[in-house]
Structures are given as structure tokens and as C-alpha cells.
Amino acid sequence: NAGVMQNPRHLVRRRGQEARLRCSPMKGHSHVYWYRQLPEEGLKFMVYLQKENIIDESGMPKERFSAEFPKEGPSILRIQQVVRGDSAAYFCASSPPQRSYRDGGYTFGSGTRLTVV
Amino acid sequence: AQTVTQSQPEMSVQEAETVTLSCTYDTSESDYYLFWYKQPPSRQMILVIRQEAYKQQNATENRFSVNFQKAAKSFSLKISDSQLGDAAMYFCAYKEDSGYALNFGKGTSLLVTP
């Protein structure tokens, strides 16, 4: 059981470039959640996805950010035209299809640290 | 919106001693969950302990226990017999009973000295 796998672990992008962050949930988990951790802050919810569906993206910035979780393959968080303020750690969590998230049955990955220079 | 406040940016404890980390939260809900997560330098978010609001009994997990005061909206974490491996950032988090998003505090950095 490999846990939630996020890659890359570190990502450096120049202002204006695109960042693509990947998350492979735990085996048997079909629900994925993305969180962002700004420096000196706690994690903030961004988006909740199930396979091929965005359930709740209320925490996503309105522009430049998008997320997907295709039928096959990892979930992708995409940030277009990155700016310095996007520098943060981005975490992915997953949970099984039944509502075990009800009791907080999440497993977190180790995050991707994005640095925009 | 629910807010979670951790008023101690940093705490220090000697090995084998006991330390308590504070957390308060604001909600109008009666049913919810509270969590403490540990984030070591590896960045991995590790669930330490979980409390259901409808349970009056305080949760315990080995050396970790909580003091849940529902009326005061307080949820502190006590670490007994502290070990060097306990050094990490500790985050308090809140989740509505039927919700899925976790609301995190800003964290407390715990230093454990030999």
C-alpha cells in the first residue's frame, strides 16, 4: 500500500509558466481533495473531485487554477501563468468511495512545494 | 464560516515531560469532528487524534489525549512523556459532520529538547 503519491516533490517555475501537480490516490480511493498551504499558514481546502467529476471547487481561485481527476490516471492540479503568490505547498488527500470522509478518514500525501521565481 | 485558532505559534518541552497545545474554534453547528494533525519536516500530514463532538469522553491515543470542552469550543492536545520524534508542527482542524472539507488552524511548532 503505497499511500497517496504526489509528484513532483519540488517544482520550480518562472513567472508566467504553467505548473502541473499530480496526485495518485491510495488504492481503492476514488475521492481526492486538494489543499494549499501558504507560508506560516494552515492548509486551506481548494477542491474536491471524484472520478471524472468536480464536486466542490469553492476554494479554488477563480482564474488560472483548474483540477481534474480522469477515469484513468492521477488527479492533476494545474496552475497557468504562475505568479509569486502561488508559491506554496500543495497537498492532496484521498478517501474511499463510501462516506468515510464523514469521520475524517483521509490519507494525505507529502505535498508538492511550488516555488515561483 | 468556521474558524480555528491556535494561539501558540511555538511551544517547547523537555524530553519525558508533558506539554499541552491549545486550540479554539468557532461554529454554530452541534455535530462536527475535531482533529489534531502532525506535520514533521518531511511535510507528511499525519492524523494524531480525532474527536467526535457528540462524544463527551475525551479521545486518547497512547501518549496523546485531548481535553474537549464543547461549551467553551476548546480542543487542546496533551502529549505525555514527550519524545524527540514528537517535534513537528501540530495543526488543529475542524470538519462539519456532513461536510468533507477540513478547516485548519495556523499551527503550533513543537520543539522537544533532550
Side-chain angles (χ1 to χ4, degrees):
Chain A
N1 193 341
V4 178
M5 304 302 292
Q6 289 189 250
N7 65 81
R9 185 158 175 78
H10 302 277
L11 181 62
V12 179
R13 284 288 177 265
R14 295 187 184 279
R15 281 179 294 172
Q17 290 185 320
E18 178 179 289
R20 292 173 67 89
L21 288 61
R22 295 175 183 77
C23 169
S24 296
M26 280 188 69
K27 187 175 181 180
H29 287 194
S30 58
H31 296 195
V32 166
Y33 316 81
W34 286 93
Y35 286 78
R36 177 166 66 173
Q37 184 180 27
L38 294 169
E40 311 298 323
E41 298 282 330
L43 280 68
K44 303 288 186 190
F45 169 78
M46 299 181 75
V47 62
Y48 165 32
L49 309 107
Q50 297 177 13
K51 286 281 187 180
E52 300 184 283
N53 278 305
I54 298 174
I55 306 302
D56 180 356
E57 56 182 347
S58 60
M60 290 272 275
K62 293 288 186 280
E63 298 178 350
R64 302 186 297 107
F65 284 71
S66 62
E68 63 176 8
F69 189 17
K71 187 176 181 181
E72 301 291 337
S75 175
I76 305 289
L77 179 67
R78 182 182 178 202
I79 310 171
Q80 295 178 292
Q81 299 174 323
V82 296
V83 300
R84 287 223 170 106
D86 297 333
S87 296
Y90 292 83
F91 287 86
C92 171
S94 71
S95 68
Q98 65 269 26
R99 288 185 62 188
S100 68
Y101 64 69
R102 184 182 185 90
D103 63 356
Y106 307 101
T107 302
F108 277 88
S110 293
T112 293
R113 182 172 297 283
L114 172 66
T115 302
V116 180
V117 297
Chain B
Q2 293 82 11
T3 56
V4 178
T5 303
Q6 294 180 248
S7 59
Q8 307 153 314
E10 294 180 352
M11 291 286 284
S12 181
V13 63
Q14 278 195 313
E15 231 180 331
E17 296 296 309
T18 296
V19 65
T20 299
L21 309 184
S22 302
C23 173
T24 58
Y25 57 94
D26 183 30
T27 184
S28 58
E29 302 292 326
S30 59
D31 293 326
Y32 48 86
Y33 291 85
L34 296 164
F35 308 87
W36 278 98
Y37 278 87
K38 171 184 178 181
Q39 186 181 45
S42 67
R43 273 206 320 259
Q44 177 79 44
M45 292 292 287
I46 302 165
L47 178 63
V48 174
I49 201 163
R50 168 174 55 218
Q51 175 79 44
E52 294 92 334
Y54 65 87
K55 288 187 178 178
Q56 294 186 341
Q57 186 174 6
N58 289 322
T60 61
E61 288 288 342
N62 301 315
R63 298 181 295 108
F64 298 87
S65 62
V66 298
N67 184 1
F68 173 47
Q69 301 290 326
K70 191 172 184 179
K73 296 180 183 175
S74 171
F75 182 61
S76 61
L77 175 69
K78 185 171 82 171
I79 307 174
S80 305
D81 186 25
S82 296
Q83 301 175 359
L84 294 177
D86 295 333
M89 284 291 291
Y90 285 82
F91 292 96
C92 179
Y94 166 100
K95 189 185 80 65
E96 288 183 4
D97 180 38
S98 58
Y100 44 77
L102 296 169
N103 293 303
F104 286 88
K106 290 189 176 183
T108 296
S109 178
L110 179 64
L111 175 67
V112 182
T113 56

